């Protein structure tokens, strides 16, 4: 894959990650020179480092005793450097003695102490008086030989002149390193604190990091990688805490310091467990197995401390740990190299760089003592800067692991920003395309709306024509019906030479003139507002004209009506008009009765006549037009003969 989510992956380059590790090595080397160098305490006021460069003298073997005290006078003392370079000094095992004249201080030593470090089996004498020592087969067997220390109070008045030390070596060599420091108590304490500054920061950093990892483990639905990283951080922090020089000032037994390497083993196992969770590959179950083996080794070491003698335990511990760490370093480095060769992205590359840093610096930490066992590099044992470098290498490796995770997070954020920018640009293009599509759709919609408006207008014209035709039918039809009846009556009277025939003809003329007036009034009513169309005024006029023209009797009642629209009023008026016309023309009715009222939110209108009853005939033009008008106001029309002989026309419609 050369792209991720549609984005082109940048070409992978190894050099930024190599530079990152190289700068870390240089930083640790500089810190070792500044904080752990040979001049660290010799440059401080109130201290004097009695290192291998001081004028020490040495003699191989034991000194004779005189009065229970060692007698240095009869021994063949030579320069320590000369003894160390001699063949017998390089191959010597067992006891040897070293001595030095203690340096004077202007104004004298106030509260003088002698601090002894990194000595495993020794006795210290000041002017022949035994101050103390460390005995691996006695009460001091649990004192750590790598960074354990002991402090001896020196007499201040008079101050001692000569310091002698008997040292027992179980392996060849006569090196002493920077094991002895003479100084005032406050100055030595200040130097301890100064030496532990980086360690303090490591302890605080790892404690916070472990707590943060536990928090993310709780919030991330129990992701095991966070829990393994929390265990790694806490174990590394505990290992650094136990290695602090100032920690040994606290009231406790020497056993926790003696077991200070065990948290480091636990941290290494947690690292392999984290590596297993990161790999997420079936073939990397080996990492989980290595983690469990290291956990088991760390747990088994605790009872063996009490069951084995010091030399047997140290041999078992060193050899067993060396095999496991060597195998783990090889498998993890092979995985990291194989992953790098897979051309990973920047985020994964930073995580792999952090893992490489943790493995690389842990190898430096554990392998420091092994490397100095080589003859060509044995002189490194005398360098406190080298010891500081190896002691702090593992912590720096974990710190670089965290820093690499931070770089991976920054890389992810940069990738997200790039993806967001690309998404924004693509979104802008999509918006432009959709805008163009919407504009085109709007244009087509406008055309459609225009066509629809034209169609609605045409339909409205047609409906208005039908309505006008119905109005004219109602008005003119009613008048013409009455006119035809008068003409027929006049014809019959004239045939009988009855003078009333001429009266009928005059009435016909009156009806024709009235018909013209009705048409004009109908047109005027269609153009009038609803307030001008008063049913209480126009209905009595319609009834009077009908009774006079057709000779019929019309009775009825009209209740209190709510405010009605013009269309609703016209429906009521024309229903009454059409009902009278149909009853006279088709039913030969002579009496009519109507009722108009409002109840339960509806207007009810009923018109009875004594004409021909309804027999289910189809609606003619008048009734069809009437039905359409009633339906337009949401109402219903019904024609029936409830008494069997009467004719009933009724409508109803709702009023909002």
């Amino acid at each position: 894959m050369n792209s991720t989510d549609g984005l082109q992956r940048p070409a992978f380059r190894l050099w930024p990650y190599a530079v990152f590790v190289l700068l870390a090595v240089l930083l640790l080397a500089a810190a070792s020179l500044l904080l752990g160098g040979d001049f660290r305490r010799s440059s401080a006021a109130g201290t004097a480092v009695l290192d291998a460069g001081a004028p020490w003298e040495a003699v191989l073997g034991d000194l004779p005793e005189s009065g229970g005290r060692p007698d240095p006078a009869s021994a063949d003392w030579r320069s320590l450097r000369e003894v160390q370079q001699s063949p017998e000094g390089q191959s010597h095992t067992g006891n040897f003695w070293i001595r030095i004249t203690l340096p004077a201080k202007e104004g004298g030593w106030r509260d003088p102490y002698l601090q002894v470090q990194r000595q495993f089996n020794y006795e210290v004498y000041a002017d022949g008086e035994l101050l103390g020592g460390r005995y691996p087969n006695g009460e001091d067997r649990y004192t750590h030989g790598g960074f354990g220390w002991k402090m001896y109070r020196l007499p201040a008045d008079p101050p001692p002149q000569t310091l002698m030390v008997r040292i027992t070596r179980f392996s060849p060599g006569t090196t002493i390193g920077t094991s002895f420091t003479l100084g005032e108590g406050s100055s030595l304490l200040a130097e301890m604190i100064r030496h532990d500054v980086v360690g303090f920061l490591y302890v605080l950093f790892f404690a916070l990091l472990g707590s943060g990892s536990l928090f993310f483990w709780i919030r991330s639905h129990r992701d095991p990688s966070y829990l393994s990283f929390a265990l790694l951080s806490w174990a590394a922090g505990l290992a650094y805490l136990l290695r602090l020089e100032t920690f040994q000032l606290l009231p406790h037994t020497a056993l926790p310091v003696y077991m200070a390497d065990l948290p480091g083993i636990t941290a290494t196992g947690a690292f392999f467990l984290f590596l297993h969770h990161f790999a997420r590959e079936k073939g990397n179950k080996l990492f989980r197995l290595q983690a469990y083996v290291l956990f088991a080794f760390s747990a088994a070491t605790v009872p063996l401390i009490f069951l084995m003698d010091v030399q047997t335990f140290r041999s078992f511990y060193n050899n067993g740990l060396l095999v496991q760490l060597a195998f783990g370093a090889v498998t993890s480095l092979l995985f990291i190299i194989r992953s790098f060769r897979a051309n990973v992205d920047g985020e994964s590359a930073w995580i792999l760089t952090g893992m490489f840093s943790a493995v690389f610096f842990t190898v430096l930490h554990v392998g420091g003592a092994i490397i100095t066992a080589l003859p060509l590099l044995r002189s490194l044992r005398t360098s406190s800067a080298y010891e500081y470098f190896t002691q702090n290498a593992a912590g720096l490796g974990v710190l670089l692991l965290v820093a690499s995770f931070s770089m991976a997070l920054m890389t992810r954020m940069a990738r997200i920003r790039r993806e967001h920018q690309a998404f924004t640009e693509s979104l802008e293009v999509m918006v432009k395309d959709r805008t163009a599509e919407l504009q085109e759709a709007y244009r087509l919609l406008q055309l459609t709306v225009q066509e629809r408006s034209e169609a609605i207008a045409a339909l409205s014209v047609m409906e208005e024509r039908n309505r006008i035709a119905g109005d004219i039918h109602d008005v003119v039809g009613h008048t013409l019906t009455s006119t035809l009846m008068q003409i027929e009556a006049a014809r019959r009277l004239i045939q009988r030479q009855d003078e009333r025939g001429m009266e009928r003809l005059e009435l016909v003329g009156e009806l024709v003139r009235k018909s013209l007036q009705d048409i004009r009034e109908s047109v005027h009513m269609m153009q009038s507002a609803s307030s001008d169309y008063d049913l209480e005024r126009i209905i009595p006029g319609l009834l009077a004209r009908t009774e006079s023209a057709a000779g019929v009797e019309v009775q009825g009642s009209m209740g209190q009506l709510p405010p009605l629209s013009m269309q609703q009023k016209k429906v009521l008026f024309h229903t009454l008009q059409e009902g009278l016309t149909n009853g006279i023309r088709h039913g030969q009715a002579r009496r009519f009765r109507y009722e108009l009222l409002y109840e339960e939110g509806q207007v009810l209108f009923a018109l009875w006549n004594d004409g021909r009853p309804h027999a289910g005939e189809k609606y003619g033009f008048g009734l069809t037009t009437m039905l359409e008008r009633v339906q337009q106001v949401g109402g219903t029309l019904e024609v029936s003969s409830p008494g069997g002989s009467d004719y009933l026309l009724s409508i109803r419609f709702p009023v909002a």
Side-chain angles (χ1 to χ4, degrees), residues 6 86 235 244 333 474 537 614:
S86 65
L244 296 177
L333 289 176
D474 293 342
R537 179 181 60 84
H614 176 65

Side-chain angles (χ1 to χ4, degrees), residues 50 56 63 68-70 72 97-102 112-116 122-133 152-166 180 182:
L50 308 179
W56 286 95
L63 293 179
R69 301 173 60 179
W97 286 79
I98 59 175
R99 72 177 181 179
I100 190 173
T101 300
L102 294 177
Y113 280 87
L114 177 69
Q115 185 185 44
V116 182
Y122 65 89
E123 288 180 340
V124 180
Y125 294 83
D127 289 344
E129 294 291 336
L130 177 64
L131 299 179
Y152 302 98
R153 178 73 179 270
L154 298 178
D157 188 21
Q161 301 297 317
T162 304
L163 179 68
M164 291 196 307
V165 184
R166 184 182 68 178
F180 304 93
L182 175 64

